[in-house]
Every structure is written in C-alpha cells, then in structure tokens.
Amino acid sequence: MLISLRPLIVSWAGPLIGPRRLDFDWRLLLAVIVLLGLGLVMVSSASMEVAAGTLGNPLHYMIRQLIYLVLAVSAALAALAIPLRFWEQFRFVLLGLAIVLLVVVLIPGIGREVNGSWRWIALGPINVQPSELAKLFAVVFLSGYLVHRKNEVEEGWMGFIKPFLILFPIGALLMAEPDFGATVILMGAAVGMLFLAGVGLLRFTVLFGAIAAAGAAMVAAAPYRMQRLTAFLNPWDDPYGSGYQLTQALIAFGRGEWLGAGLGNSIQKQFYLPEAHTDFVFAVLAEELGLIGALAAFALLVFVALRSLYIGLWAERSNQLFAAYLAYGIAIMWCGQILINVGVNTGLLPTKGLTLPFLSYGGSSLIVCCISLGILLRIDWERRQAEREVTHA
C-alpha cells in the first residue's frame, strides 16, 4: 500500500522529498528570507514602545509576529507541496470560498469591527482578514479563466467583460467593509493579467478608463477618502488633523538621514506615528536604518516582485499558461502593494492602510504572502521538471 502511494506522494511533495527536491529559484527564496527576517526585526523595534505602554509587555507584537511567521512558513511549505493542477481544478471552489468569507465578515457577531471597518473574523486569539485570501483566490480563478477562454479573451469584447461580472461583486463586498486598498489591488491585478493575456489595446483602454472612473466615483462618494486624497498634497496645512500621520512619517524619514538613528532609536514610534508597526513600518525602518537601509529594503522588494514576473514569463515560454498567469497575478499584486505602501509612507500617494509584503505586522497578510511564495516556487519547479522531461525525451 505504501509503495503504491509513493508516486502520488512524490507528485505532490516532489519539491521537498522527490529526486529533484529543492530544485527551485533560490534567488527568490533567499531574498524573501532576508525580508522576513528584516520584517521581524522592524516590527519588534517599531512596536515595543506601544506594546509596553498599552499592553504592559514590550514583546507582545514581536511574539505574535513570530507565531505568524511560523504559521506562514508552514503555509508556504504546504503550498509548495500542492500541484498547480489542484489550484486550476478547484478555482471555482476557491472563488466561492472567497465570496462566502467576504459575506461572513460583514455579519455582526462574526465579523470584527476595528476603527470603523469590518475586515476581520476573530478565531480565538487570531484575527483572519478574508480580503487577503479573496485577492489570491480571485487571481487563481482569473488565471484559469484566461487559459480556458483564451481565444474569447483575445478576440471578443465579452471575453474580457465576463470575469468582471464576478470580480465587481467581490469589489463591492470589499468596499462594504470598507477596504478601498484591497479593491484597487484586486482590480489592478485583473487588468494587468488581462493585458498580459493579449487583450487588444482598444478594449484595454476602455476597461482601464471604466475602472478609473469607478475608482474616482468611490473616492468622491466618501468624504473621508476625498479628505485623504487632498491632505497628502500638503499635509503641513493640517499637521495635527488630516495630515498628522503623513507629517510624522516624513519627520521619521528626515531624522533617519543617510545612515539612520540606529536600530531601536526611533523617536516617531513612541506614540507619535500611528500604526508604526503595520502600515508605516517602512517609515520607522527609514528612521532607524537611514536612506541607505530604506533603499536596500526597497530594492529587495522590487527584486522579489520582478523575479516573480520572470517566473511567469519563463512559464509562458514553456507553454504553461495557467502557471504563467498565476505568477503574473501574484507579482502584480505585490508590485501594487509595494508601490502604494512606500508611496503612502513617503507622501507620494494619499494615506491608505495597506501592508508592505513580508515586512508589516499582520498574520493574514504574512501568511497569504508566504502561500503566494510557495505557489511561485512550485510554478518554477514544475517548469524545470517539464523542461528536463523534454530534454531527456
């Protein structure tokens, strides 16, 4: 019985236990390991003062982040052991699960409200953020759609309109939380994937214009979004009101200068900069490690995102289209989150709560990022396996 199960086990967990185990993109993996280590250090540093003052334990957030990190690494290994055909076959189930979670989080008594937003489901001491899983599962679904409806997508209007008949309701559920940032990332990834799948320039332009118009309408419909949009242009007009968070972040960058104030020596994290260990951890990093450290961390993030795009490109060249589109979608989501988070921290974009991949505090974001990493490594491993089989044939 055990002998008969061996081929099945190897086909699933081949990257970990098979004859070609650990044969994947080590450059991507090492870059992410460095980011995870840096993230743990910066979350610990940025949260100690707040944790000591509000919870009486300066290591509270560090311990939780360490637990999240263990769970995230375990999730990455599990994703690495799952064949891509599983994601493709169960894409509709995963999409349905995403929709159910987004509905459940809005139900009082199940969803948890924090700062006016219903984004979390409490599972004991852990808060799950369904929007993180929803973005990934929506990308999985769209990847399968682009493969099975490839001709329709390339040649007709309905081919690229149909997926949005599903994605728009998901976006509406995200906006009901409200989570404008997750909606932007999801729609941006969808548009990018459609463009890379061969949608004509005219249809792409119309689609992009429609999404931009919808985004502008959502901003105009909520006064606080319009306030954020205008406040970032000159935060010093209201440094103790709408511009407070950004001005404190800019002060952190200024204090850091070239080489930083030193690890643990941030002043802004001491109750000046709100959300210092989550949305604004990059500002604390810049204050403590300086411009050089901030640029090095940003370069690592860019490398991870670009490497993911190349994994998609290599899979497409090997005619593994589902893998290619899935890698593209993950890479575009990471690119969007990196650019928005760093743009917010540096005052180039309106203030928006969006985590920085692998660096910010938060279990759901970290776990989903590591699951995405496991999927990318699996894509690269399966491509290498297919190319070896062709070579030896």
Side-chain angles (χ1 to χ4, degrees):
M1 179 67 176
L2 189 60
I3 296 176
S4 63
L5 288 177
R6 180 174 176 79
L8 178 63
I9 295 173
V10 171
S11 70
W12 275 66
L16 299 174
I17 64 172
R20 297 289 184 179
R21 61 184 176 274
L22 305 182
D23 183 19
F24 38 70
D25 194 333
W26 279 98
R27 292 180 180 87
L28 174 64
L29 180 58
L30 290 175
V32 170
I33 289 173
V34 172
L35 286 173
L36 290 173
L38 179 61
L40 179 61
V41 171
M42 293 314 306
V43 166
S44 303
S45 177
S47 65
M48 280 187 175
E49 301 296 334
V50 173
T54 59
L55 301 170
N57 179 10
L59 301 180
H60 174 81
Y61 291 110
M62 185 198 77
I63 294 172
R64 288 179 67 89
Q65 185 73 353
L66 190 58
I67 294 172
Y68 291 148
L69 185 57
V70 172
L71 293 175
V73 171
S74 301
L77 292 174
L80 180 59
I82 298 175
L84 292 177
R85 65 177 182 272
F86 170 86
W87 300 99
E88 187 173 5
Q89 290 172 358
F90 289 91
R91 63 188 185 278
F92 291 103
V93 175
L94 295 174
L95 182 69
L97 177 61
I99 294 173
V100 169
L101 288 174
L102 291 177
V103 171
V104 167
V105 77
L106 298 175
I107 300 175
I110 299 179
R112 183 186 176 197
E113 185 267 337
V114 178
N115 296 328
S117 298
W118 295 82
R119 301 181 186 175
W120 295 269
I121 297 175
L123 297 178
I126 297 177
N127 293 321
V128 177
Q129 192 170 359
S131 60
E132 295 292 338
L133 281 172
K135 289 185 295 185
L136 177 60
F137 291 167
V139 166
V140 172
F141 163 76
L142 187 55
S143 300
Y145 176 85
L146 292 175
V147 172
H148 295 279
R149 296 289 187 272
K150 184 173 177 59
N151 292 334
E152 193 176 347
V153 169
E154 292 177 348
E155 298 172 3
W157 282 88
M158 287 304 298
F160 80 99
I161 291 177
K162 284 180 181 178
F164 286 97
L165 297 177
I166 296 175
L167 294 180
F168 279 142
I170 292 177
L173 289 171
L174 289 172
M175 291 303 300
E177 295 182 5
D179 195 342
F180 185 65
T183 307
V184 170
I185 295 298
L186 174 59
M187 293 303 171
V191 171
M193 292 170 70
L194 284 165
F195 180 73
L196 292 173
V199 171
L201 186 59
L202 174 61
R203 285 171 289 155
F204 178 78
T205 303
V206 172
L207 176 63
F208 184 80
I211 292 177
M218 286 187 290
V219 170
Y224 79 92
R225 293 192 195 114
M226 183 59 71
Q227 187 180 29
R228 285 183 176 181
L229 186 62
T230 56
F232 94 100
L233 297 174
N234 191 1
W236 303 102
D237 279 347
D238 189 12
Y240 299 105
S242 60
Y244 178 78
Q245 203 165 22
L246 179 53
T247 55
Q248 297 304 313
L250 294 177
I251 291 171
F253 277 92
R255 287 197 72 254
E257 298 183 351
W258 285 97
L259 299 177
L263 188 62
N265 293 329
S266 168
I267 298 297
Q268 294 307 107
K269 69 183 181 182
Q270 299 179 16
F271 298 95
Y272 291 102
L273 179 60
E275 310 296 338
H277 59 295
T278 55
D279 301 336
F280 283 85
V281 70
F282 190 73
V284 176
L285 185 152
E287 184 181 3
E288 295 190 348
L289 303 183
L291 179 63
I292 302 300
L295 289 176
F298 183 70
L300 268 178
L301 289 165
V302 171
F303 173 80
V304 167
L306 291 179
R307 193 73 179 178
S308 304
L309 284 172
Y310 271 104
I311 287 176
L313 177 62
W314 295 328
E316 186 175 7
R317 288 176 176 174
S318 297
N319 202 35
Q320 299 176 4
L321 296 183
F322 175 78
Y325 296 140
L326 184 52
Y328 288 148
I330 291 172
I332 294 170
M333 284 197 300
W334 284 354
C335 286
Q337 287 189 231
I338 292 167
L339 293 177
I340 291 176
N341 184 279
V342 174
V344 166
N345 275 251
T346 55
L348 297 176
L349 292 173
T351 302
K352 182 70 203 79
L354 203 63
T355 56
L356 191 58
F358 304 108
L359 286 178
S360 294
Y361 173 80
S364 296
S365 174
L366 188 63
I367 290 172
V368 172
C369 279
C370 286
I371 291 174
S372 301
L373 172 67
I375 293 173
L376 286 168
L377 293 176
R378 181 77 192 202
I379 289 171
D380 183 67
W381 183 83
E382 289 196 11
R383 175 188 62 83
R384 293 169 187 258
Q385 294 300 104
E387 290 178 351
R388 283 195 181 90
E389 290 174 2
V390 170
T391 302
H392 288 74

